[in-house]
Amino acid sequence: MLSLVTATLCGCRGKFRSKPWQQLLDEAKYLVESGVKELNLIAEDTNQYGQDRKDGKGLAQLMHELGKLDGLQWMRILYAYPSYFTEDLIDEIATNPKVCKYIDIPLQHINNMTLLSMNRPPQEHTVKLLQKLRQRIPDLVLRTTFISGFPGETEESHQELVQFCNKFPFQRMGAFTYSEEDGTPAAEYQDQVPHSVREARRDELVSLQQDVGQEFAESLIGCQIPVLVDSITDDGQFLGRTQWDAPDVDPMVFLSEPESNELPALAVGQMRLCEVDGTLLFDIEAHPVK
């Protein structure tokens, strides 16, 4: 994981300060030379990197430089705020072969009143951005998270979110219940949603996402895709990830040994071209073909 900012947090959000440019490049170079194959780029608002400086070096320029590192296979954008997508950033994601065609954008909700309470961009901005990203970036997979039961969320605003997820399905999505945090404005709101209602609304979103995730996994059957071999279990099962799977939060690839004796055996750290044989709900099963 490559953190892009430094911040001082003292019960409230700290001032956004981008890590120095050369420090990041040196850290990334060290990681890759140590054998790291994938860099996950993360900050509180990852695509805001560099906007506190005047040198014109933002996330797009950083990814362009990181792409020059020999040995680096993938880089992935996590926690990208929907307000800060520049045209050059979208172009870099679309054209840089080392950038995973995967973006994690925590939208939190889609109803305008709820978004206003959360201090998030309005629905119109978000929808236009999502449409642009899917139009401009081939094979893009979007991950998002939604919060159920935020103070003031009505049944109508929840159903608006459900309808949005049906109309604009996300291949990767998590849903969580709102939890009060001491010292935050939302914890003091009077119109708190009962815990049982929060959980029921979350469960409805999770159920919806299970169908979407399973359909996406099934759509990969028969495809040949690069897989990063991540680990091996105690009983000898190799596990990997595609470019559409972030560590720890997304599905896995269950790998079998190559069918041909002419191909090298599996080993952790390899990037292998694999053919997808089947699914295990959201996970997939595959074997190397190269």
Side-chain angles (χ1 to χ4, degrees):
M1 197 79 70
L2 193 62
S3 176
L4 305 189
V5 301
T6 56
T8 301
L9 300 179
C10 50
C12 59
R13 183 172 172 174
K15 182 180 179 181
F16 188 99
R17 297 197 305 274
S18 299
K19 275 188 178 179
W21 175 263
Q22 194 58 48
Q23 178 184 338
L24 272 178
L25 295 181
D26 291 344
E27 183 180 347
K29 183 174 183 289
Y30 171 79
L31 290 170
V32 173
E33 289 179 348
S34 301
V36 169
K37 304 294 184 183
E38 174 185 0
L39 294 175
N40 290 283
L41 310 179
I42 188 167
E44 189 169 356
D45 300 329
T46 301
N47 45 344
Q48 196 178 345
Y49 174 74
Q51 294 187 15
D52 56 328
R53 298 195 307 250
K54 304 298 183 181
D55 58 8
K57 295 179 179 178
L59 184 58
Q61 291 73 28
L62 177 64
M63 292 193 301
H64 184 78
E65 287 301 310
L66 293 176
K68 300 176 183 178
L69 291 174
D70 292 334
L72 178 63
Q73 300 281 349
W74 287 343
M75 63 186 106
R76 181 186 308 277
I77 300 174
L78 300 175
Y79 216 86
Y81 199 76
S83 292
Y84 303 111
F85 276 89
T86 61
E87 294 299 315
D88 60 344
L89 176 58
I90 295 174
D91 287 340
E92 187 66 25
I93 298 170
T95 60
N96 189 326
K98 292 188 179 182
V99 176
C100 294
K101 306 313 178 226
Y102 171 108
I103 307 175
D104 170 36
I105 310 179
L107 299 179
Q108 313 297 37
H109 216 282
I110 202 63
N111 171 264
N112 270 325
M113 290 303 297
T114 307
L115 290 169
L116 182 63
S117 298
M118 292 177 166
N119 195 28
R120 290 265 164 175
Q123 178 184 134
E124 182 180 7
H125 169 88
T126 297
V127 171
K128 287 182 178 179
L129 172 64
L130 296 176
Q131 291 172 340
K132 178 190 291 188
L133 292 174
R134 284 190 167 167
Q135 290 168 358
R136 297 262 296 274
I137 304 173
D139 301 320
L140 177 66
V141 160
L142 291 171
R143 162 173 259 283
T144 194
T145 50
F146 292 116
I147 295 176
S148 294
F150 191 82
E153 183 192 53
T154 64
E155 179 61 25
E156 289 75 17
S157 58
H158 167 68
Q159 288 303 320
E160 184 178 359
L161 175 57
V162 171
Q163 293 168 13
F164 172 73
C165 291
N166 273 312
K167 181 180 179 180
F168 199 102
F170 295 86
Q171 297 94 333
R172 307 285 185 245
M173 188 265 276
F176 305 92
T177 58
Y178 167 74
S179 179
E180 296 92 341
E181 293 185 16
D182 292 339
T184 60
E188 305 300 323
Y189 292 170
Q190 297 301 309
D191 46 358
Q192 299 289 328
V193 177
H195 284 273
S196 60
V197 176
R198 302 180 199 181
E199 293 170 357
R201 292 175 180 174
R202 175 205 59 197
D203 292 348
E204 184 175 4
L205 291 173
V206 169
S207 177
L208 172 64
Q209 182 58 26
Q210 287 176 341
D211 293 336
V212 175
Q214 191 167 353
E215 288 176 7
F216 178 68
E218 291 171 351
S219 74
L220 299 176
I221 295 176
C223 296
Q224 294 186 357
I225 53 178
V227 175
L228 179 61
V229 185
D230 246 357
S231 61
I232 183 171
T233 65
D234 292 339
D235 59 0
Q237 172 66 62
F238 281 97
L239 301 174
R241 290 181 293 108
T242 73
Q243 67 165 328
W244 305 305
D245 303 305
D248 301 326
V249 295
D250 288 324
M252 298 181 296
V253 182
F254 286 77
L255 292 163
S256 57
E257 289 289 354
E259 296 177 353
S260 171
N261 293 329
E262 297 180 359
L263 294 176
L266 289 168
V268 174
Q270 292 176 337
M271 182 72 73
R272 301 293 294 269
L273 183 67
C274 297
E275 182 169 328
V276 180
D277 302 311
T279 66
L280 298 167
L281 291 179
F282 321 117
D283 300 318
I284 60 176
E285 299 171 305
H287 69 276
V289 295
K290 188 174 180 181

